[in-house]
Amino acid sequence: MAVVGLYFIGLVFGGVITDPNITILYVTIAVLAFTFVLLTMTRMRRGIRIGAYTPVKVLSVVKCGQCSFKQIKNFAIGDFVFKALGKCTQCMTGDLTINGIYTEGSPKK
Amino acid sequence: MLPVSLHENDLLGSLFGNLGTISQLLFTVLFIALFFGFGQKLQMRQFLWDIDKGLRRLDMFRNSAKDLTLKTVKEIGKPTTDPGPSINVLMEQFLISPVDMDPAGIVGKIDHLLDVRDEKFKEDVRRIAPGADSSQVMNLENLVEASWALNTIYRIIRHFYLMGKKTNSIFIIIQLQALLPLIIQEAEAYLGAAKAFAEGQPIGDGIGPLVASRLMKDKVQRKVEKDVVVAETMMEDRRVIALKAEGPGGNVGKPGDAIKTIIEENVDKVSMVIMVDAAVKFEGENSGEVSEGIGAAIGGVGTERFKIEQEATLHKIPVYAVIVKESLQEAITPMKKEIMDAGEKVIERIKSLILERSKPGDTIIVAGIGNTIGIGQ
Ligand SMILES: [Zn+2]
């Protein structure tokens, strides 16, 4: 289609044609051809954009039952909500548990 | 003679002069032919090309889900033999739904079938992965189910693609091409789900169990029915019985049976049932929005909902629903922060519902519905 467009543009500016009607016709064809090419290209780009799969980052929130200790770490296999992680390192008395596991929303809808 | 010849010359001249008009006409005819006759063929070719591309993506999805399943089974299952063939058998498994010409009692039949399938699936997974503990078996089962779904989607789409190609039917092809983006989106969500299941991460659908587990934390817990845990707590001077599927393995349990059991244990005492669940939002709504309504909020085939509705009607107990809105993709992929944060809002809603609709001393059932993967209690 790009070739068709270029060909007709060439015809118009080649100077062979004198009838203005034909010039208009050829320009129209050229514009149509280029529009088609453009549309196809945007379609392809959209297809690729949907295609990319981004792995999500999952985080675990660790909280102490006694003090205000709170830590956000990367999710490790075996983590689950309300899993006990032993004693708190800050107050030495409270139990650490995972309070929540979440992923920060990716920009993609 | 002369005028005639002049006339002829004139005609010839005007004919040559009108070459533009003729070529214009020619082009018009060509365009009409191109757009109305050949256009459809051209469009069909383009559609087929699109579908082919989509199909290859689906194939890629199902293969990576399958690879992930194999890898996870090998890692945590410690199989003694190659799990590949057994997983392939599981991938092709099917369920024949009962005859519905005479629908009386069909819920029981479906329930029974699902139980059998569940049991067999779990048994098979346990056999393939002898090294996995019970919650890992649950997660593996979920994982196999997600790759089963991807495999099935691929097989169905390929079927219609080849059918459309073979019969040259533009209607099959147009429908397929129109639906494909949605299907691919869903398949992508399933792949995300497979990854969450493989690692045991909570998914968006787990908001119900998460809320229930917040209520039942550090309380005495017991197991009722199949894979459902129950704990009692006090809230605004009311006795609240919270229940959820047993975690942290991927599981939805049978909350219908559990609610029935609890109501029967506390005949005439239960004054209301509140169900917490994730619900599919409409496009344009915000994820993590909380809203409430009336009725049994629970998805699935409908057997559990049927049981709850029947029991509630029998004892004239009102059933309220508090839902958290999320998209289908969010429901089966790792839980987003805004959904997790909605948990607090849900508890507030439950409190105000209890205050408005019950008296101090009443017994209230709060059921956290959904897949409890990655959520303990
Ligand atoms: Zn502490």
Side-chain angles (χ1 to χ4, degrees):
Chain A
M1 270 301 185
V3 176
V4 175
L6 283 177
Y7 175 68
F8 279 104
I9 287 284
L11 278 187
V12 171
F13 292 105
V16 195
I17 313 142
T18 42
D19 189 338
N21 275 332
I22 298 218
T23 315
I24 290 169
L25 185 72
Y26 284 177
V27 168
T28 315
I29 292 172
V31 165
L32 275 178
F34 279 122
T35 316
F36 181 81
V37 170
L38 221 72
L39 277 179
T40 317
M41 266 162 73
T42 45
R43 257 173 79 97
M44 264 154 74
R45 188 137 333 134
R46 196 180 60 203
I48 291 162
R49 201 183 56 211
I50 294 172
Y53 178 82
T54 42
V56 288
K57 193 175 171 197
V58 183
L59 304 163
S60 303
V61 186
V62 181
K63 269 186 180 168
C64 168
Q66 300 285 328
C67 65
S68 59
F69 179 77
K70 187 184 167 189
Q71 184 198 6
I72 294 174
K73 65 179 188 81
N74 280 331
F75 176 88
I77 290 178
D79 279 5
F80 60 85
V81 178
F82 298 130
K83 181 191 188 186
L85 294 177
K87 288 282 175 237
C88 175
T89 49
Q90 206 174 340
C91 65
M92 298 299 187
T93 51
D95 291 312
L96 285 182
T97 49
I98 293 179
N99 199 263
I101 295 171
Y102 66 91
T103 153
E104 216 93 87
S106 53
K108 195 183 69 180
K109 269 272 161 183
Chain B
M1 269 319 240
L2 202 77
V4 176
S5 104
L6 197 86
H7 184 73
E8 269 181 346
N9 264 344
D10 199 32
L11 189 78
L12 217 65
S14 71
L15 195 69
F16 275 109
N18 281 350
L19 196 68
T21 326
I22 288 173
S23 69
Q24 205 165 354
L25 200 77
L26 211 73
F27 267 115
T28 317
V29 169
L30 201 82
F31 261 101
I32 289 173
L34 206 73
F35 278 107
F36 288 88
F38 194 62
Q40 203 184 41
K41 280 263 173 290
L42 207 76
Q43 206 167 27
M44 206 156 104
R45 199 112 309 268
Q46 206 179 14
F47 283 169
L48 276 174
W49 198 51
D50 277 356
I51 299 169
D52 189 54
K53 259 198 318 197
L55 203 61
R56 251 177 284 158
R57 294 262 321 269
L58 287 177
D59 192 27
M60 194 188 78
F61 286 164
R62 96 174 163 148
N63 282 331
S64 50
K66 209 165 138 184
D67 290 346
L68 186 69
T69 311
L70 261 175
K71 197 180 119 221
T72 316
V73 164
K74 278 182 185 156
E75 252 168 38
I76 59 175
K78 311 266 182 306
T80 42
T81 51
D82 179 28
S86 323
I87 288 179
N88 282 342
V89 171
L90 281 185
M91 292 284 191
E92 302 275 323
Q93 210 174 45
F94 55 87
L95 180 80
I96 302 167
S97 50
V99 180
D100 54 5
M101 278 188 288
D102 183 13
I106 198 168
V107 175
K109 289 183 202 165
I110 294 177
D111 203 32
H112 170 66
L113 270 178
L114 292 178
D115 277 352
V116 172
R117 185 186 75 158
D118 219 40
E119 205 47 54
K120 183 186 178 293
F121 224 87
K122 222 168 278 173
E123 215 45 64
D124 287 342
V125 171
R126 207 169 285 144
R127 208 183 53 244
I128 297 170
D133 63 32
S134 60
S135 78
Q136 282 169 335
V137 166
M138 295 287 201
N139 291 354
L140 281 178
E141 190 206 328
N142 279 260
L143 174 59
V144 173
E145 252 173 273
S147 32
W148 175 86
L150 280 171
N151 191 36
T152 309
I153 290 174
Y154 173 77
R155 282 168 57 210
I156 292 171
I157 300 300
R158 185 183 55 184
H159 168 75
F160 282 112
Y161 169 68
L162 293 177
M163 276 273 281
K165 227 174 159 179
K166 201 187 268 176
T167 57
N168 236 344
S169 158
I170 189 133
F171 293 107
I172 295 178
I173 293 167
I174 284 180
Q175 283 187 54
L176 206 56
Q177 201 264 351
L179 286 177
L180 205 62
L182 294 177
I183 293 168
I184 286 183
Q185 218 174 29
E186 201 175 325
E188 212 174 329
Y190 273 113
L191 188 63
K195 284 181 180 153
F197 291 145
E199 303 199 344
Q201 294 159 345
I203 55 173
D205 186 41
I207 185 67
L210 186 69
V211 167
S213 72
R214 293 224 194 278
L215 294 180
M216 62 209 293
K217 195 176 176 237
D218 302 327
K219 302 284 184 308
V220 185
Q221 294 163 357
R222 67 192 168 98
K223 230 170 122 172
V224 291
E225 293 308 322
K226 206 178 142 205
D227 306 323
V228 176
V229 281
V230 166
E232 275 183 33
T233 175
M234 293 304 283
M235 203 189 238
E236 314 286 340
D237 298 324
R238 277 89 164 159
R239 181 171 158 240
V240 169
I241 304 177
L243 66 92
K244 73 181 272 285
E246 190 182 17
N251 198 353
V252 290
K254 300 201 97 184
D257 289 336
I259 290 176
K260 193 174 171 188
T261 311
I262 296 172
I263 290 177
E264 273 159 12
E265 279 172 2
N266 302 278
V267 184
D268 297 334
K269 274 191 244 161
V270 177
S271 63
M272 66 194 277
V273 176
I274 301 175
M275 304 187 67
V276 183
D277 196 5
V280 174
K281 65 168 185 177
F282 289 115
E283 207 57 53
E285 289 181 320
N286 290 331
S287 304
E289 236 171 71
V290 180
S291 65
E292 55 184 77
I294 292 144
I298 181 167
V301 201
T303 52
E304 295 304 299
R305 196 166 92 205
F306 178 84
K307 287 179 214 160
I308 295 167
E309 285 165 353
Q310 206 175 32
E311 199 63 18
T313 311
L314 188 67
H315 295 276
K316 297 273 180 289
I317 299 169
V319 179
Y320 296 98
V322 178
I323 56 151
V324 176
K325 291 180 187 173
E326 48 192 86
S327 72
L328 183 74
Q329 282 89 307
E330 286 164 342
I332 60 174
T333 47
M335 191 186 283
K336 282 199 180 156
K337 189 163 192 310
E338 54 261 41
I339 294 170
M340 187 181 80
D341 292 341
E344 297 303 319
K345 282 185 260 170
V346 171
I347 292 178
E348 288 309 310
R349 284 293 180 100
I350 293 174
K351 271 186 190 152
S352 61
L353 251 180
I354 288 176
L355 282 173
E356 285 163 19
R357 303 251 166 263
S358 69
K359 296 182 291 292
D362 279 359
T363 299
I364 290 138
I365 298 175
V366 175
I369 309 298
N371 192 325
T372 187
I373 185 161
I375 299 167
Q377 57 268 329

Coordinates of all heavy atoms in Angstrom, one line a residue, chain B residues 254-283:
Chain B
K254 N -15.9 -25.3 51.8 CA -17.3 -25.4 51.5 C -18.1 -24.6 52.5 O -18.7 -25.1 53.5 CB -17.8 -26.9 51.6 CG -17.1 -27.7 50.5 CD -17.8 -29.0 50.2 CE -18.6 -28.8 49.0 NZ -19.4 -30.0 48.6
P255 N -18.1 -23.3 52.4 CA -18.7 -22.4 53.3 C -20.2 -22.6 53.5 O -20.8 -22.4 54.5 CB -18.4 -21.0 52.8 CG -18.0 -21.1 51.4 CD -17.5 -22.5 51.3
G256 N -20.9 -23.1 52.4 CA -22.3 -23.4 52.5 C -22.6 -24.4 53.5 O -23.5 -24.2 54.4
D257 N -21.9 -25.5 53.5 CA -22.1 -26.6 54.5 C -21.7 -26.1 55.9 O -22.4 -26.4 56.9 CB -21.2 -27.8 54.2 CG -21.7 -28.5 52.9 OD1 -22.9 -28.4 52.7 OD2 -20.9 -29.2 52.3
A258 N -20.7 -25.2 56.0 CA -20.2 -24.7 57.3 C -21.3 -23.8 57.9 O -21.6 -24.0 59.1 CB -18.9 -24.0 57.1
I259 N -21.8 -22.9 57.1 CA -22.9 -22.0 57.6 C -24.1 -22.8 58.0 O -24.7 -22.6 59.1 CB -23.2 -21.0 56.5 CG1 -22.1 -20.0 56.3 CG2 -24.5 -20.2 56.9 CD1 -22.3 -19.0 55.2
K260 N -24.4 -23.8 57.3 CA -25.6 -24.7 57.6 C -25.3 -25.3 59.0 O -26.2 -25.3 59.9 CB -25.7 -25.8 56.5 CG -27.0 -26.5 56.6 CD -27.1 -27.5 55.4 CE -28.3 -28.3 55.7 NZ -28.4 -29.4 54.7
T261 N -24.1 -25.9 59.1 CA -23.8 -26.6 60.4 C -23.9 -25.6 61.6 O -24.5 -25.9 62.6 CB -22.4 -27.1 60.4 OG1 -22.2 -27.9 59.1 CG2 -22.1 -28.0 61.5
I262 N -23.3 -24.4 61.4 CA -23.3 -23.4 62.5 C -24.8 -23.0 62.8 O -25.1 -22.9 64.0 CB -22.5 -22.2 62.2 CG1 -21.0 -22.6 62.0 CG2 -22.5 -21.2 63.3 CD1 -20.1 -21.5 61.4
I263 N -25.6 -22.8 61.8 CA -26.9 -22.4 62.1 C -27.7 -23.5 62.8 O -28.4 -23.2 63.8 CB -27.7 -22.0 60.7 CG1 -27.1 -20.7 60.2 CG2 -29.2 -21.9 61.0 CD1 -27.7 -20.3 58.8
E264 N -27.4 -24.7 62.4 CA -28.1 -25.8 63.1 C -27.6 -26.0 64.5 O -28.3 -26.5 65.4 CB -27.9 -27.1 62.3 CG -29.1 -27.2 61.2 CD -28.8 -28.1 60.1 OE1 -27.8 -28.9 60.2 OE2 -29.5 -28.0 59.1
E265 N -26.3 -25.7 64.8 CA -25.8 -25.8 66.1 C -26.4 -24.7 67.0 O -26.5 -24.9 68.2 CB -24.2 -25.6 66.1 CG -23.4 -26.8 65.7 CD -22.0 -26.4 65.5 OE1 -21.6 -25.3 65.8 OE2 -21.2 -27.3 65.2
N266 N -26.7 -23.6 66.4 CA -27.3 -22.5 67.2 C -28.7 -22.1 66.8 O -29.0 -21.0 66.4 CB -26.4 -21.2 67.0 CG -25.0 -21.4 67.4 OD1 -24.6 -21.4 68.6 ND2 -24.1 -21.7 66.5
V267 N -29.6 -23.1 66.8 CA -30.9 -22.9 66.3 C -31.6 -21.8 67.1 O -31.5 -21.6 68.3 CB -31.7 -24.2 66.5 CG1 -33.1 -24.0 65.9 CG2 -31.1 -25.4 65.9
D268 N -32.2 -20.9 66.3 CA -32.9 -19.7 66.8 C -32.1 -18.7 67.5 O -32.6 -17.7 68.1 CB -34.0 -20.2 67.8 CG -35.1 -21.0 67.1 OD1 -35.2 -20.8 65.9 OD2 -35.7 -21.9 67.8
K269 N -30.8 -18.9 67.4 CA -29.9 -17.9 68.1 C -29.3 -16.9 67.0 O -29.1 -15.8 67.3 CB -28.8 -18.6 68.9 CG -29.2 -18.9 70.3 CD -28.0 -19.4 71.1 CE -28.2 -20.8 71.5 NZ -26.9 -21.4 71.9
V270 N -29.0 -17.5 65.9 CA -28.3 -16.7 64.8 C -29.3 -15.6 64.3 O -30.4 -16.0 63.9 CB -27.8 -17.6 63.7 CG1 -27.2 -16.7 62.6 CG2 -26.8 -18.6 64.2
S271 N -28.9 -14.4 64.4 CA -29.9 -13.3 63.9 C -29.5 -12.8 62.6 O -30.4 -12.2 61.9 CB -29.9 -12.2 64.9 OG -28.7 -11.6 65.0
M272 N -28.3 -13.0 62.1 CA -28.0 -12.6 60.8 C -26.7 -13.2 60.3 O -25.9 -13.7 61.1 CB -27.9 -11.0 60.7 CG -26.7 -10.4 61.4 SD -26.9 -8.6 61.6 CE -26.2 -8.1 60.1
V273 N -26.6 -13.3 59.0 CA -25.4 -13.8 58.3 C -24.8 -12.7 57.5 O -25.5 -12.1 56.7 CB -25.7 -15.1 57.4 CG1 -24.4 -15.5 56.7 CG2 -26.3 -16.2 58.3
I274 N -23.5 -12.4 57.7 CA -22.8 -11.4 56.8 C -21.8 -12.1 56.0 O -20.9 -12.8 56.5 CB -22.2 -10.3 57.6 CG1 -23.2 -9.6 58.5 CG2 -21.5 -9.3 56.7 CD1 -22.6 -8.6 59.4
M275 N -21.9 -12.0 54.7 CA -20.9 -12.6 53.8 C -20.0 -11.6 53.2 O -20.4 -10.6 52.7 CB -21.6 -13.4 52.7 CG -22.6 -14.4 53.3 SD -23.3 -15.5 52.1 CE -21.8 -16.5 51.6
V276 N -18.7 -11.9 53.3 CA -17.7 -10.9 52.7 C -17.0 -11.6 51.6 O -16.6 -12.8 51.7 CB -16.6 -10.6 53.8 CG1 -15.6 -9.6 53.2 CG2 -17.2 -10.1 55.1
D277 N -17.0 -10.9 50.4 CA -16.5 -11.6 49.2 C -15.9 -10.5 48.3 O -16.3 -9.3 48.4 CB -17.6 -12.4 48.5 CG -17.0 -13.4 47.5 OD1 -15.7 -13.5 47.4 OD2 -17.8 -14.0 46.8
A278 N -15.1 -10.9 47.4 CA -14.7 -10.1 46.3 C -15.7 -10.2 45.2 O -16.3 -11.2 44.9 CB -13.3 -10.5 45.8
A279 N -16.0 -9.0 44.5 CA -17.0 -9.1 43.4 C -16.4 -8.4 42.2 O -15.6 -7.4 42.4 CB -18.3 -8.4 43.9
V280 N -16.8 -8.9 41.1 CA -16.3 -8.3 39.8 C -16.8 -6.9 39.6 O -18.0 -6.7 39.7 CB -16.5 -9.2 38.6 CG1 -16.1 -8.5 37.4 CG2 -15.8 -10.5 38.8
K281 N -16.0 -5.9 39.5 CA -16.4 -4.5 39.3 C -16.7 -4.3 37.8 O -16.3 -5.0 37.0 CB -15.3 -3.6 39.8 CG -14.1 -3.7 38.9 CD -13.1 -2.5 39.2 CE -11.9 -2.6 38.2 NZ -11.0 -1.6 38.3
F282 N -17.4 -3.2 37.6 CA -17.6 -2.7 36.2 C -16.4 -1.9 35.8 O -15.8 -1.3 36.7 CB -18.9 -1.9 36.1 CG -20.1 -2.7 36.2 CD1 -21.0 -2.5 37.3 CD2 -20.5 -3.6 35.3 CE1 -22.1 -3.2 37.4 CE2 -21.6 -4.4 35.4 CZ -22.5 -4.2 36.5
E283 N -16.1 -2.0 34.6 CA -15.0 -1.2 34.1 C -15.2 0.3 34.4 O -16.3 0.8 34.2 CB -14.8 -1.4 32.6 CG -13.5 -1.2 32.0 CD -12.4 -2.1 32.6 OE1 -12.6 -3.3 32.6 OE2 -11.4 -1.6 33.0

